[in-house]
Amino acid sequence: TGRTGTRSYLKAQKLKEIILTQEKYIRDMKKLILPIVCGLFCASTSAQLVKQQTSDTQEQSKLDWYNCSFDKDGVYGAEVNKAYDLLKAHKKKAKANPIVAIIGTGMDVEHEDVKHAIWVNKKEKNNGKDDDKNGLVDDINGWNFIGGKDGQVMESLLREGEREFYRLKDQYGGYITDGTKFFKIINGKRQEVHAPANMKEYEYYRNKVLPQSRLASTYGGIQLGYVLNEYFDKFDRDLKQRFPGKELTVEDFQTCYDPKAKRDTLSEVTFMIAAYAFSIYKTDKWEKVYQMMGSGNEKRSQDSYNDAVKKYGFDNRKEIVGDDPNDITDTHYGNNVLLTSDAATGIMKAGVIAAKRDNGLGGNGIADHAKIMTLRVHPGVGETYLKDMALAIRYAVDHGACIINLPEQNSLYPSTQREWVEDALKYAEKKGVLVIVPVWDLSEDLDKEEYFPHRKMCKEGELTNLMVVASSDEKGNPVMNTNYGANSVDLYAPGTNLYSTYMGDTYQKGSGETMSTATVAGVAALLKTYFPKLTGSQIRDILIKSVTSRKGVEVEKGIRVDGNPSQDLFLFDDLCISGGIVNAYQAVKEAMKVSK
């Protein structure tokens, strides 16, 4: 913009400054209107896979550095090697093969460095029959909850925001409000109507669903299109009455805004959009802006909505899976296909947790006595259905898993489906199972922004078996954009540039919040291998108490200010409960004390 130096741009900026003085109004409009006009960009994260060529001469601290320690290797790993030295010194023997359920993407169960660690359902045979009578046929190594009976698998899912939009669109999608009155477009005209009967649900739609649904934002744009047509016509009439016969300019348009007049937020929103239009079309002539924006807005918005439906509005669950995703009692669905296009993320996590140690292949897994159970609920695109999540947790518990690794948290949990997940987590807690969930890379403070699941989500009391984990790097710093929270995140764990197993008996480096939970799951599995009587709640306490302390260390961290990315300095202990990074060596020492 500095290079253009256009007169129209500077004048538009002046108009923008007038509006920006209305700070509270702008905050409200950003929240209620701008998502409709522009849509919202929703970040997503998953393990980022980078090809890695290695040689035998490369140091472990540059590959599976999560096994290393700062005092010996100069990296802030989880001190797994030191933990094994300690166990050997105390002549501790492995006593169990703990089952770790990875709930997320698919799996390469035949990988050379992980196949020894693949869980096998001993009650099931690969014969096309439901031998163990659980309603699932041939669930030998786990289950694909988003598969069909004919072997098809889902390759993408709708976001929860889109699913909620479809559920609530007819009740609330047509409302327009100026902050006090409610309107609907009836026969092409804006007419005042009664407020929604269920204001609580309407506010949920407006404040939760709208910002997270690309369909809802474009659908709301259709209604807003009629409003824009109405007010552009009004501005044009007023200007021509005020300045008859004059070629109207941006200075003339500025008189349409009267800060002393009675508030009309719909008029002010249109004024703001028109002010931006002078800059967008690089003109200071009102007639050009009016020609471009004064009509056809509803048609353009309808086209945008239709395009959004084609792009984001389908996931073929009905055709492929065939279940009712809103009925938690409809449980006999899915298939046993685990080798899917998204399996790369699953096999990388499995390698961190349980790849064979010291066999000359790839990196060393943290707990190679562990067994990996794969429960596919996510193809890597979209967001997990909460029904699948709840049933997968219950499947894992019922089939002997003692550690469960979940996909990322989500900020949108519809109330009924949230209860399904709550009940499943309480069931896991009752059975002594540790559940680990990663945060997102959105730079948000989880003490202020609520994401699910979290420990305080149940009315009956705080969950004691649920761990929320964020990612740290080799230097012991938090990943810049990871979510954080002094009272909401339990600890940090190595999650960047982790060398692990990959598809087709290959090995690569990967980064992501889910990789950090694999590190924590591996350390938890190590404890369960040698101290099998520890419950999930006890393991959580041990891991929090035994971190590599980073308390008092000042680190740079990404944050969000008024929705925009920024950075600030924090003490590490202001980022998580433990104030440190998971440490297997210290955890083993603590487990020895507890086990006595």
Side-chain angles (χ1 to χ4, degrees), residues 160 164 200 204 325-329 385-391 393-394 412-428 452-454 457-460 463:
E160 191 63 53
E164 282 294 270
K200 183 178 180 181
Y204 166 75
N326 297 310
D327 182 1
I328 193 65
T329 65
Y385 282 81
L386 297 187
K387 172 189 171 183
D388 298 336
M389 177 96 74
L391 293 179
I393 293 171
R394 288 184 173 274
L412 193 59
Y413 259 42
S415 57
T416 299
Q417 298 177 41
R418 171 179 162 177
E419 292 178 4
W420 300 343
V421 178
E422 287 179 4
D423 291 343
L425 291 172
K426 287 186 289 187
Y427 182 59
F452 300 96
H454 60 80
M457 65 186 292
C458 301
K459 296 178 182 179
E460 295 81 359
L463 291 164

Side-chain angles (χ1 to χ4, degrees), residues 70 86 168 206 273 288 293 318 389 393 402 434 466 485 494 508 526 562 575 579-580 584:
F70 185 76
L86 179 64
L168 299 171
R206 186 179 70 164
I273 291 172
K288 175 67 177 294
M293 298 289 294
K318 182 177 180 180
M389 177 96 74
I393 293 171
C402 55
L434 177 70
L466 181 66
Q508 293 191 16
L526 176 61
D562 293 332
L575 300 177

Side-chain angles (χ1 to χ4, degrees), residues 542-568:
I542 289 171
L543 295 181
I544 290 175
K545 290 177 182 177
S546 61
V547 293
T548 299
S549 178
R550 299 283 282 161
K551 290 183 178 179
V553 177
E554 192 174 59
V555 294
E556 192 173 22
K557 181 75 187 65
I559 61 172
R560 299 194 74 81
V561 179
D562 293 332
N564 299 312
S566 184
Q567 295 179 6
D568 203 352

Side-chain angles (χ1 to χ4, degrees), residues 232 274 277-278 283 285-294:
F232 267 96
F278 282 99
T283 183
K285 301 296 189 290
W286 163 252
E287 191 62 31
K288 175 67 177 294
V289 170
Y290 181 59
Q291 288 177 358
M292 300 302 294
M293 298 289 294

